């Protein structure tokens, strides 16, 4: 019986905490002397326009810059700057925001003061991102390998109807070597299925160039390094956008529910810069993924409208929304902490480690200096924005 009693004593504060989560409300108790609903509404419309334009500009610049060489000094510097922005966003903006929300005095003592939940949620998100990274990458690799195998088989069928023995033997020699057939097969398959994957024909072309002419001793060498590289860029861009979007919704709602022009004015400028830098980082990853123009445009559009939609939602619910309620604080803290884990993982593993531990970086001292300077510049500038937002 003592074990059951101990277990019940543990459950009682837990059930009490869950009840308080949905019923308790906490207000600062201070009236805002700067409250002006009409002026605040005007500033919110201005904020939606400003944030939309700055976010769209930030995400579009790297996409337009894909005309530049991917391994050039300018593009490497831009990639390092973007990695610094994402790292600072995760640590300085999201993790600190989650810690602040989940340590608010309005939250009940149990369980929120008994355990470091922000860091725990960030760790869980990082581990789940690793799992998603692995599973999504494997899915794309299997899908592309299947498609290239089908291309090779279709080309092999055409070989059987060649009447000239010398042409047939020459073609089969290319098939044994693997390289020429691999490149031709991918190009033909990309044209045939140019809309079947978001990578498009340009993505397959890039994969063909990166994979070279090495085979595996059979008729369709896959060039594992090139294939992995192309798939990784697609996966990174998609997971990164998922991590950024959740935070963008939260900051948009936070601005939208405010009734104070004194609060909205600095947030308007700070969030415009915030979205510009985040958009620049995301645009760089999308550009490296070599998606189709339609796929790139959809990802850019979705990022650009997320925060303005959050502002609109916050404005619509401003009269009934209590940002000091326990449910609102918990939702904000959990989402910010999860987003922090996703972005810190992406920045350190898929952006910084992938570039700064590469062979190109290790043998070129000038590239090292430029990349590190841009990395610290991006992290520093994004961290400075935490003074205002």
């Amino acid at each position: 019986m003592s074990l059951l009693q101990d277990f019940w004593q543990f459950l009682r504060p837990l059930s009490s905490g869950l009840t308080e989560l949905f019923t308790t409300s906490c207000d600062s108790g201070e009236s805002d002397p700067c409250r002006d609903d009409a002026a605040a509404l005007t500033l919110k419309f201005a904020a939606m326009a400003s944030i939309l334009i700055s976010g769209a500009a930030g995400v579009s610049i790297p996409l337009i810059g894909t005309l530049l060489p991917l391994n050039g000094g300018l593009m490497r510097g831009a990639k390092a700057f973007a990695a610094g922005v994402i790292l600072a966003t995760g640590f300085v903006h999201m993790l600190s925001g989650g810690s602040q929300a989940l340590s608010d005095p309005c939250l009940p003592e149990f369980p929120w003061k008994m355990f470091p939940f922000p860091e725990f949620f960030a760790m869980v998100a990082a581990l789940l991102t690793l799992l998603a990274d692995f599973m999504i990458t494997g899915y794309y690799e299997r899908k592309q390998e299947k498609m290239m195998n089908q291309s090779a088989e279709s080309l092999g069928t055409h070989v059987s109807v060649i009447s000239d023995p010398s042409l047939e033997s020459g073609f089969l020699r290319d098939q044994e070597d693997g390289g020429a057939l691999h490149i031709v097969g991918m190009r033909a398959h990309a044209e045939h299925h140019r809309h079947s994957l978001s990578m498009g024909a340009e993505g397959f072309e890039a994969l063909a160039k990166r994979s070279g002419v090495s085979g595996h001793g059979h008729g369709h060498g896959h060039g594992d390094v090139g294939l992995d590289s192309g798939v990784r860029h697609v996966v990174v861009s998609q997971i990164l956008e998922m991590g950024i979007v959740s935070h963008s919704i939260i900051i948009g709602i936070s601005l939208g529910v405010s009734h104070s022009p004194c609060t909205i004015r600095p947030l308007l400028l700070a969030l415009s810069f915030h979205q510009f830098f985040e958009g620049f980082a995301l645009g760089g990853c999308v550009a490296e993924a070599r998606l189709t123009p339609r796929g790139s445009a959809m990802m850019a559009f979705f990022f650009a409208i997320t925060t303005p939609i959050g502002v609109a939602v916050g404005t619509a619910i401003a009269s009934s929304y209590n940002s000091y309620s326990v449910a609102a604080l918990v939702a904000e803290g959990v989402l910010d902490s999860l987003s922090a884990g996703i972005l810190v993982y992406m920045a350190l593993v898929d952006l910084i480690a992938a570039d700064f531990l590469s062979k190109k970086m290790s043998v070129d001292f000038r590239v090292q200096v430029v990349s590190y300077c841009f990395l610290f510049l991006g992290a520093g500038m994004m961290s400075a924005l935490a003074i205002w937002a």
Side-chain angles (χ1 to χ4, degrees):
M1 291 295 295
S2 60
L3 180 61
L4 293 176
Q5 290 176 349
D6 292 341
F7 184 67
W8 173 246
Q9 291 298 323
F10 173 78
L11 288 180
R12 286 184 63 186
L14 178 60
S15 61
S16 175
L18 291 175
T19 302
E20 291 182 23
L21 172 63
F22 295 101
T23 61
T24 303
S25 176
C26 180
D27 203 341
S28 61
E30 300 178 358
S31 59
D32 188 356
C34 194
R35 175 164 180 162
D36 186 338
D37 290 348
L41 184 61
T42 302
L43 286 173
K44 290 173 188 178
F45 283 116
M48 283 189 277
S50 175
I51 292 172
L52 177 64
I53 293 172
S54 58
V59 75
S60 298
I61 290 174
L63 296 178
I64 297 173
T66 53
L67 300 175
L68 300 174
L70 283 179
N71 291 324
L74 184 60
M75 284 301 295
R76 282 190 169 270
K79 288 163 59 180
F81 181 88
V85 167
I86 295 300
L87 186 64
T89 301
F91 274 122
V92 180
H93 291 265
M94 297 188 182
L95 188 57
S96 64
S99 298
Q100 183 178 358
L102 293 181
S103 62
D104 194 278
C106 294
L107 294 183
E109 185 73 19
F110 185 90
W112 307 108
K113 306 296 192 300
M114 309 294 294
F115 188 78
F117 280 102
E119 293 78 8
F120 174 76
F121 287 133
M123 178 193 71
V124 170
L127 294 176
L128 291 178
T129 305
L130 171 64
L131 179 61
D133 206 352
F134 172 78
M135 295 179 66
I136 296 173
T137 300
Y139 168 77
Y140 273 112
E141 287 177 346
R142 289 190 298 272
K143 189 171 185 178
Q144 291 182 13
E145 185 174 358
K146 180 180 179 181
M147 293 168 67
M148 286 188 286
N149 286 340
Q150 292 174 350
S151 295
E153 291 174 1
S154 64
L155 288 175
T157 303
H158 292 303
V159 171
S160 62
V161 299
I162 297 177
S163 58
D164 191 338
S166 61
L167 292 177
E168 182 176 1
S169 60
F171 188 87
L172 291 175
R173 280 197 300 272
D174 284 341
Q175 188 177 23
E176 292 173 357
D177 292 338
L181 177 61
H182 173 53
I183 296 175
V184 171
M186 283 196 298
R187 288 178 177 170
H189 189 268
E191 287 298 321
H192 184 65
H193 298 281
R194 62 183 297 114
H195 298 298
S196 61
L197 280 178
S198 60
M199 293 181 66
E202 295 85 359
F204 279 100
E205 186 74 18
L207 289 178
K209 292 179 180 178
R210 284 196 291 265
S211 61
V213 294
S214 61
H216 294 296
H218 54 78
H220 47 280
H222 300 304
D224 289 339
V225 175
L227 179 61
D228 290 344
S229 178
V231 169
R232 293 295 305 140
H233 292 315
V234 175
V235 175
V236 166
S237 64
Q238 293 177 344
I239 298 180
L240 183 60
E241 178 153 12
M242 179 181 66
I244 290 176
V245 161
S246 61
H247 179 62
S248 297
I249 294 174
I250 290 294
I251 61 177
I253 292 177
S254 299
L255 187 150
V257 298
S258 177
H259 298 278
S260 172
C262 299
T263 301
I264 297 174
R265 287 192 189 98
L267 280 178
L268 189 157
L269 183 61
L271 292 182
S272 296
F273 280 105
H274 184 281
Q275 290 302 102
F276 177 84
F277 289 138
E278 276 194 345
F280 187 88
L282 178 63
C285 292
V286 174
E288 273 200 311
R290 295 292 185 179
L291 306 177
T292 61
R294 180 182 178 183
S296 299
M298 288 182 62
M299 292 190 70
F301 175 77
F302 188 65
F303 164 79
I305 66 171
T306 302
T307 303
I309 288 178
V311 176
V313 171
T315 302
I317 65 175
S319 60
S320 59
Y321 181 83
N322 181 10
S323 58
Y324 293 98
S325 68
V326 174
L329 289 169
V330 170
E332 179 181 350
V334 170
L335 286 177
D336 275 350
S337 300
L338 292 175
S339 299
I342 293 173
L343 293 195
V344 168
Y345 171 89
M346 299 299 296
L348 293 177
V349 176
D350 288 326
L351 300 179
I352 296 177
D355 284 339
F356 284 74
L357 300 181
S358 65
K359 184 176 181 180
K360 171 68 176 178
M361 183 77 71
S362 63
V363 299
D364 193 329
F365 180 74
R366 184 183 65 85
V367 172
Q368 293 178 25
V369 172
V370 171
S371 297
Y372 274 103
C373 287
F374 275 98
L375 176 66
F376 293 137
L377 178 64
M381 292 181 68
M382 195 64 183
S383 298
L385 288 178
I387 299 174
W388 299 279

